[in-house]
Amino acid sequence: MGKVKVGIIGSGNIGTDLLKKLMRSPHLEPSVMIGIDPNSDGLRMAREAGLVTFDNGIQGFVEQAELADILFDATSAKAHLHHAKVLADMGKKVLDLTPAAVGPFVVPNVNLHEHLDKGNINMITCGGQATIPIVHAVNQVSPVHYAEIVATIASRSAGPGTRANIDEFTQTTARGLEMIGGAQKGKAIIILNPAEPPILMRNTIYCLVDKEKLDQDKITQSVMNMVKQVQAYVPGYRLRTEPLFDDNKVTVMIEVEGAGDYLPPYAGNLDIMTSAAVKVAEEWAQHQVKV
Amino acid sequence: MTQTKKVYITEVALRDGSHALAHQYTVEQVRQVAQALDEAGIPYIEVSHGDGLAGSSLQYGFSKTDEMRLIEAAVEVCKQAKIAVLLLPGIGTMEELKEAAGLGAKMARIATHVTEADISAQHIGLAKDLGLEVVGFLMMAHMVPPEKLVEQAKLMESYGADTVYVVDSAGALLPHEVRERIKALRENLSINIGFHGHNNLSLAMANTLAAIEEGATRVDGSVRCLGAGAGNTQTEVLVAVLDRLNIETGVDLYKMMDLAEELVAPLLPQPQEITRDSLVMGYAGVYSSFLLHAKRAAQRFGIDARDILVELGKRKVVGGQEDMIVDVAAELAAKKAELAAEK
């Protein structure tokens, strides 16, 4: 079985980290990288690795469409709106790592099976990838009325896009907690911590459930299982302590250490995005092969 | 010393004080206090959840009353005072800011950790577009040297802020450190400079005076020190002291004393003293809002709140990281249990 050819749009930190991960994939073969800065680290590394590179945006790729079947978009929400349309017309599958939200929100292991047939999938936010699985795990045992998450990330791991539009993080993550986590109401908070050396990404997930339906052992088991599933694609995803219970509140604390591919290990927030996107693409690849 | 200066006080008891009341303000309490402050001549009154708009949460404590109803009530009763709201990007969003402005708030104070001013650009921009007076609020100012503070303050100035505050959220700054910071801002910025103190080291008044001497024209106070940790610079005392210094505030001293004694004192769940826990916050440089959360965690895990607070200081935890309190408490309790088992 041959590998499925994939392309990366965006040669910044995220695009370059994707490149490193894709080069290890048993199911995917990175074949093209599309950027706008010929001198970027990402395009240089891609050229060295033998990929076809374009430094004039997506136009060059349109003329050589056979180069890739799945595209990762690590640019900006605004750019993605254009890319999404062009790529849809070409019949390409697209993984959107921007906040554009053209396609459905997906967290692997939670709702990917519902969207395998979609042409465009959105990866929500880093906080969403880190916390929605836990809310889902609790919700499977005891319906979650209210889920609140606090994501704390190292200042150095928050890029200019996140900083310029931090409301997008809180609003999109909250929607994901509801739509995919299953909470009736979601709320998200993000905190940037400038400590040196940089801290690992930390997430606290609070869930309010019915007191009568709160089964501590089952919830703990469900959360542990979910952590294992996420660890399959983000090995540095860990519980800080066992889930804590007070009255009708469940508290789960998670830290995320990145694989340190292109991004430093403390940037678990970025690693979980790129890892989740690669995971979805691998599922797509295997699915296509089966079909 | 005969030259008369004018200093504008922002009263924060209805926002920062919300921490001390575990965010349980009612519409009636806010109405009464805001009306009395307005009659006393206080120019700005801040009303919001203690952690700013949309702070009502499991992380910080749910508000008893929707803060928008409190803002609305305060706007309604004030004849001259302007209502200010606090917003921490990452917690609150532009949606809440629009709602508060729609209810009649006239000042937005946009707060970030002292190194993260660039997350405030959108919110400062929106507040200006909404016609609000805008304050950039650089929290935990003790954690960086004056040069860094200047760099971040200049960002807020560039986004359109009318004023930038040095915010001593931990009540950790010493008077000479306040002087250095205010002086550096004065020399490098062309907008108003403000100071917000906490009294954890009993220095809120001294620091506020140092700030004014260096050129701050905006200062915060809380009636009866009703604020996080040991509270803020006590407003009615500040009014008296500034009057003695021949600095104009436009505030009626006797009316402030009366409202402090008759309206605010009865609201306090306990007197705003410098307890060992609030003292240790100033000493270790920890965000004042952590006080009640650390006490609760200490009780739950059977350890000393001071150990939690000192550890948080060591880890350079920033404002808003209340979840770290339980995390650190659980870790310290586990260590303590291990040690006990070894014995």
Side-chain angles (χ1 to χ4, degrees):
Chain A
M1 284 191 292
K3 291 185 181 184
V4 173
K5 289 186 174 171
V6 299
I8 302 163
I9 315 174
S11 60
N13 288 332
I14 301 281
T16 311
D17 194 69
L18 279 168
L19 172 64
K20 288 216 158 191
K21 288 185 164 56
L22 290 167
M23 282 165 59
R24 282 202 302 267
S25 171
H27 308 290
L28 306 168
E29 179 191 336
S31 57
V32 56
M33 184 183 255
I34 301 157
I36 47 172
D37 176 4
N39 299 316
S40 61
D41 222 16
L43 285 181
R44 185 185 53 77
M45 286 172 59
R47 278 192 299 269
E48 281 168 11
L51 276 72
V52 176
T53 60
F54 296 102
D55 58 22
N56 60 345
I58 198 168
Q59 200 44 47
F61 174 70
V62 173
E63 288 151 23
Q64 295 185 56
E66 71 286 354
L67 285 174
D69 298 316
I70 299 174
L71 278 298
F72 292 80
D73 193 343
T75 60
S76 67
K78 198 174 162 218
H80 183 69
L81 295 178
H82 171 61
H83 299 158
K85 193 174 175 313
V86 172
L87 295 169
D89 290 346
M90 295 164 74
K92 302 295 179 189
K93 290 253 194 191
V94 184
L95 278 162
D96 173 19
L97 288 88
T98 80
V102 172
F105 286 177
V106 164
V107 177
N109 299 339
V110 176
N111 71 332
L112 176 57
H113 55 280
E114 294 167 26
H115 298 293
L116 273 173
D117 59 332
K118 302 291 193 307
N120 185 317
I121 279 181
N122 179 275
M123 301 311 297
I124 323 175
T125 61
C126 62
Q129 290 297 337
T131 62
I132 291 168
I134 302 298
V135 174
H136 176 75
V138 175
N139 192 55
Q140 280 180 315
V141 179
S142 310
V144 174
H145 299 300
Y146 174 80
E148 177 181 310
I149 71 99
V150 183
T152 306
I153 63 173
S155 294
R156 288 220 247 151
S157 70
T162 305
R163 288 173 174 277
N165 197 349
I166 205 153
D167 287 7
E168 216 156 50
F169 174 93
T170 52
Q171 290 162 343
T172 307
T173 307
R175 263 212 319 282
L177 294 170
E178 295 167 6
M179 289 169 56
I180 308 166
Q184 273 171 36
K185 181 158 175 47
K187 179 174 177 68
I189 292 169
I190 182 169
I191 294 165
L192 307 182
N193 181 312
E196 290 289 341
I199 57 157
L200 296 180
M201 182 203 201
R202 269 190 94 269
N203 304 278
T204 297
I205 300 110
Y206 303 103
C207 294
L208 294 183
V209 301
D210 269 342
K211 212 175 164 186
E212 309 81 65
K213 291 184 189 152
L214 193 153
D215 183 328
Q216 295 198 8
D217 292 344
K218 275 193 184 160
I219 289 175
T220 301
Q221 197 50 51
S222 179
V223 168
M224 300 285 201
N225 286 342
M226 184 54 80
V227 169
K228 272 205 199 89
Q229 288 180 43
V230 178
Q231 279 170 347
Y233 58 94
V234 188
Y237 185 86
R238 299 184 286 260
L239 278 173
R240 292 271 309 153
T241 57
E242 285 209 355
L244 300 169
F245 298 90
D246 310 85
D247 198 33
N248 66 333
K249 180 174 77 176
V250 185
T251 305
V252 179
M253 293 182 280
I254 295 274
E255 71 183 8
V256 188
E257 181 173 4
D261 286 322
Y262 181 69
L263 302 161
Y266 63 78
N269 47 312
L270 304 177
D271 190 76
I272 199 168
M273 283 293 270
T274 52
S275 299
V278 170
K279 167 86 174 162
V280 173
E282 287 184 337
E283 295 287 328
W284 262 346
Q286 287 170 283
H287 188 73
Q288 278 178 358
V289 171
K290 274 179 218 152
V291 170
Chain B
M1 290 301 285
T2 50
Q3 182 190 1
T4 311
K5 281 203 224 177
K6 171 104 192 175
V7 164
Y8 295 86
I9 295 176
T10 297
E11 170 57 52
V12 299
L14 298 178
R15 195 280 302 167
D16 212 321
S18 181
H19 290 294
L21 299 178
H23 316 289
Q24 299 300 297
Y25 274 123
T26 64
V27 166
E28 198 42 42
Q29 288 168 345
V30 167
R31 194 189 300 276
Q32 283 183 6
V33 174
Q35 185 165 19
L37 288 167
D38 179 65
E39 283 167 8
I42 288 281
Y44 298 99
I45 303 169
E46 189 171 55
V47 183
S48 304
H49 182 280
D51 294 273
L53 297 176
S56 179
S57 58
L58 288 165
Q59 172 85 345
Y60 308 121
F62 283 121
S63 301
K64 177 174 180 153
T65 313
D66 178 355
E67 63 195 337
M68 295 299 170
R69 302 289 74 78
L70 302 180
I71 292 165
E72 198 174 31
V75 167
E76 240 173 58
V77 296
C78 286
K79 294 198 176 75
Q80 59 79 29
K82 294 185 171 116
I83 300 307
V85 293
L86 181 74
L87 172 74
L88 279 67
I91 299 176
T93 68
M94 293 188 282
E95 290 308 309
E96 287 86 29
L97 187 57
K98 281 183 209 158
E99 191 179 348
L103 294 171
K106 295 283 185 237
M107 176 187 270
R109 308 214 301 174
I110 312 297
T112 72
H113 182 69
V114 65
T115 55
E116 312 299 317
D118 62 353
I119 62 170
S120 68
Q122 259 187 330
H123 308 80
I124 290 177
L126 172 70
K128 291 303 291 179
D129 289 347
L130 292 167
L132 306 179
E133 185 176 343
V134 183
V135 172
F137 214 59
L138 288 167
M139 303 188 293
M140 300 290 271
H142 73 282
M143 289 178 88
V144 299
E147 308 78 63
K148 182 74 181 174
L149 185 67
V150 167
E151 168 203 298
Q152 297 291 305
K154 283 180 89 82
L155 287 176
M156 286 177 156
E157 182 178 39
S158 75
Y159 306 145
D162 303 294
T163 301
V164 172
Y165 262 66
V166 174
V167 181
D168 184 16
S169 318
L173 284 174
L174 303 177
H176 73 278
E177 296 170 322
V178 174
R179 262 179 215 291
E180 290 167 2
R181 283 165 176 73
I182 300 288
K183 184 164 182 274
L185 292 191
R186 188 74 283 161
E187 286 169 357
N188 290 283
L189 270 67
S190 53
I191 54 177
N192 304 320
I193 311 296
F195 178 75
H196 172 100
H198 276 272
N199 204 36
N200 300 334
L201 295 178
S202 196
L203 288 172
M205 181 65 72
N207 285 344
T208 302
L209 295 183
I212 292 171
E213 278 176 29
E214 291 299 335
T217 54
R218 305 289 176 127
V219 295
D220 286 5
S222 60
V223 183
R224 278 277 171 148
C225 290
L226 185 49
N232 312 89
T233 313
Q234 193 167 346
T235 317
E236 63 279 23
V237 182
L238 180 63
V239 169
V241 170
L242 293 181
D243 182 61
R244 290 273 310 271
L245 286 169
N246 206 20
I247 293 170
E248 197 188 326
T249 61
V251 181
D252 183 311
L253 177 60
Y254 272 28
K255 284 186 180 168
M256 281 305 293
M257 289 176 171
D258 290 345
L259 81 91
E261 199 85 6
E262 290 156 22
L263 285 178
V264 175
L267 297 178
L268 299 182
Q270 63 274 318
Q272 285 292 90
E273 290 170 342
I274 303 174
T275 61
R276 60 186 169 192
D277 296 331
S278 47
L279 167 55
V280 91
M281 296 175 104
Y283 180 69
V286 177
Y287 201 58
S288 299
S289 325
F290 287 6
L291 181 63
L292 295 183
H293 298 271
K295 281 175 123 169
R296 272 181 231 131
Q299 206 166 19
R300 170 170 180 183
F301 290 95
I303 52 179
D304 191 324
R306 286 174 294 186
D307 291 339
I308 305 176
L309 292 166
V310 167
E311 184 61 28
L312 290 166
K314 274 189 207 153
R315 295 192 189 185
K316 302 213 176 331
V317 162
V318 303
Q321 283 192 270
E322 269 77 344
D323 53 325
M324 277 301 283
I325 298 169
V326 170
D327 189 312
V328 162
E331 205 178 304
L332 293 178
K335 268 191 203 145
K336 192 177 159 192
E338 252 174 57
L339 282 174
E342 277 169 23
K343 278 177 197 161

